[in-house]
Amino acid sequence: MKDESTGTLELKDGSNIAVIGGGPAGSFFTYFALDFAERYGLDIDIDIIEAKDFNCTGPPGCNRCGGIVSESLIQSLSAEGIVLPSNVISRGIESYTLHLEQGTTVIETPLHEQRIASMFRGSGPLGSEDTEQLSFDNYLLELCKERGAKTISGRVIEAERETDGISIKTKEGLEKKYDLVIGAIGLNARTLKLFENICPSFKPPKTTKTHICEFYLGEERVDEYFGDSMHVFLLNLPNIKFGALIPKGPYVTLVLLGSNINKEIVSAFLNAKPVKECFPEDLDLKSAMPCQCYPSINMDGAKSAYGDRVILIGDSASSKLYKNGIGAAYITAKAAAKTAIFEGISESDLKRHYQPVCHDLDRDNLVGKLIFITTTVIQKSAILKKGLLSMVINEQSKANHKRLMSSILWDTFTGSATYTDILRRTLNPLFSINLIGHTLKTLLTRTNNKKNEKQKVRTTI
Ligand SMILES: Cc1cc2nc3c(=O)[nH]c(=O)nc-3n(C[C@H](O)[C@H](O)[C@H](O)COP(=O)(O)OP(=O)(O)OC[C@H]3O[C@@H](n4cnc5c(N)ncnc54)[C@H](O)[C@@H]3O)c2cc1C
C-alpha cells in the first residue's frame, strides 16, 4: 500500500497478491513470497489464478515443453527443500547420445550421477492412461497450497489499474482488487496484451515457433531403443538449431528448437537417417503420435517487465535462450518475491532490485546467441563435425580425461551452466588445440583414404 509520507509502495499485513498463471514461475513466486513473508513477520494472502487443469492429459493440462529439469535446477530446488518425487519424474537421464550424420557417440553425465530428470508438465500426452504419472506443474501448485496459497481455476480476461490497486476479472465471473499483480502467464499473447495496458512501458518478449510431439512406443521398447539417454541431433538441416528425443515412461518426446519450425521442417527431420535409425523399423511414426504442437519460445527478453504494483516473471519477462526455461523461471520468480517482500512494489524499487536479474539473463543470452551461431557453422561442416565427434569419442574412452568438449556439449544441451561460463571454457587454449588436432587428423585420414581409393582404381584399370 502507498505510504503518503514517504511516497513508497510496499506490502503490509493483510495485503493481497494475484498471481496470474500457475506454471513454474507463478508457483515459484508464491512459494518464495510466502516463505519470505513468514520470515519477515508479514501476513499476506496469495491467489493463484490458472486457466488450465494440470490433472488433464493432452493440451488442456499441458504447458508445452520438453520436460527436462536441469541438474542446476534440481540442486537449487533441493537446497530450498523441494525434492521432486518419483511419480513426477518420468525418467532419470544418465547420458546424452549425440547423433551426427558422421556417427554417434554417448556422453555420460560429468560426475556419473543421475542428476537430470524428464517429466510431463501435465498428466501425460493425450489419451495417456498412466494414472501413476503426476504433473510437474500440479506438484508445484500443491506445494503452494500447502504453504497457504489459494488456487482459483479461471482465465483472467481483464486487468485495470486503479489508484489503490489493480482490479482483475476472470471469464468465470471473479472480480477482485489486488495490491500486487504477478504476471506469470508465459507467452500467452492475449494475456500479455492485458499487461501492456496496465504497464505502458512493458514490451513482451520476442518469440519464434518450435515443435514438440510425443511418440508412444511402450515402456519395453523405450528401454530397448532409448534407455536412460536423451538423444541429441546436430544435423545439417535448415532452421533447426537443436533436435532431441527424450524418453519418458512409455513415450518419447521430440523437441525441435530453432527458428520458425513448421510441418515441412519437422518432416525433413523425421526422415533424416540418424533420426529414423533411433526408432524400431516397424514403427509407423504418424500413428504412434498422440500429441503434437508448435509452441512459441523466447528469443529476446521483455522490456520493463514491471510497473507500480505489477511484476512479470518467467517466460513473460526473461528466460534462458533455448534451454532450462524452468530454471530461468525459478530465478526471476525468486528475485521478484524477494523484491516484493523486502524492498517494495513501486516501479523504482523493482527497477533497482528486480530488473538487474532479468538483465543478467538477457546479457547471458547474447553470449548464448554467439554460441549457437558457432554451433550452426559446425552443423553445416562435415569436417568440423567429424573433428568434434572424434574429440568426444577420445574423451569418453579415457576415465580420467578432462573431457572439455563433452562437458561443454553437456552444459549446452542441458542448460545447466550459464552461456558465459560455457564460452569461457571454449577459450581454454587446450580446447582449441584439441579440436584443431582432431579436425586435422580426420582431414588427413580423409585425404589418405581418397588417395588410396584413386590408386586402387588405377591399379584395377
Ligand atoms: C519446445 C520447447 C521445449 C522446452 N523444453 C524445456 C525443457 O526441457 N526444460 C525447461 O526447463 N524448459 C523448457 N522449455 C521452456 C519452458 O517451457 C518455459 O520456460 C517455462 O514453462 C516457463 O514457465 P512460466 O511459468 O513462465 O510459463 P508457462 O509454463 O507457460 O505458464 C504460464 C501459465 O499461465 C497460464 N495463463 C496464461 N494466461 C492466463 C490467463 N489469462 N488466466 C489464467 N492463467 C493464464 C497458462 O495456462 C500457464 O499455465 C521449453 C519450451 C519450448 C517451447
Side-chain angles (χ1 to χ4, degrees), residues 21 24-25 50-51 63 65-68 121 154 156 184 191 210 296 314-315 324-326:
E50 170 55 55
N63 274 329
C65 158
I68 287 287
R121 301 288 300 271
V156 173
T191 323
T210 63
S296 298
D315 277 8
N324 196 16
I326 301 171

Side-chain angles (χ1 to χ4, degrees), residues 1 11-17 41-45 177 179:
M1 281 152 241
L11 297 169
K12 300 256 163 66
D13 275 337
S15 290
N16 64 357
I17 304 174
L42 192 65
D43 184 17
I44 53 167
D45 287 321
K177 190 157 71 188
D179 298 302

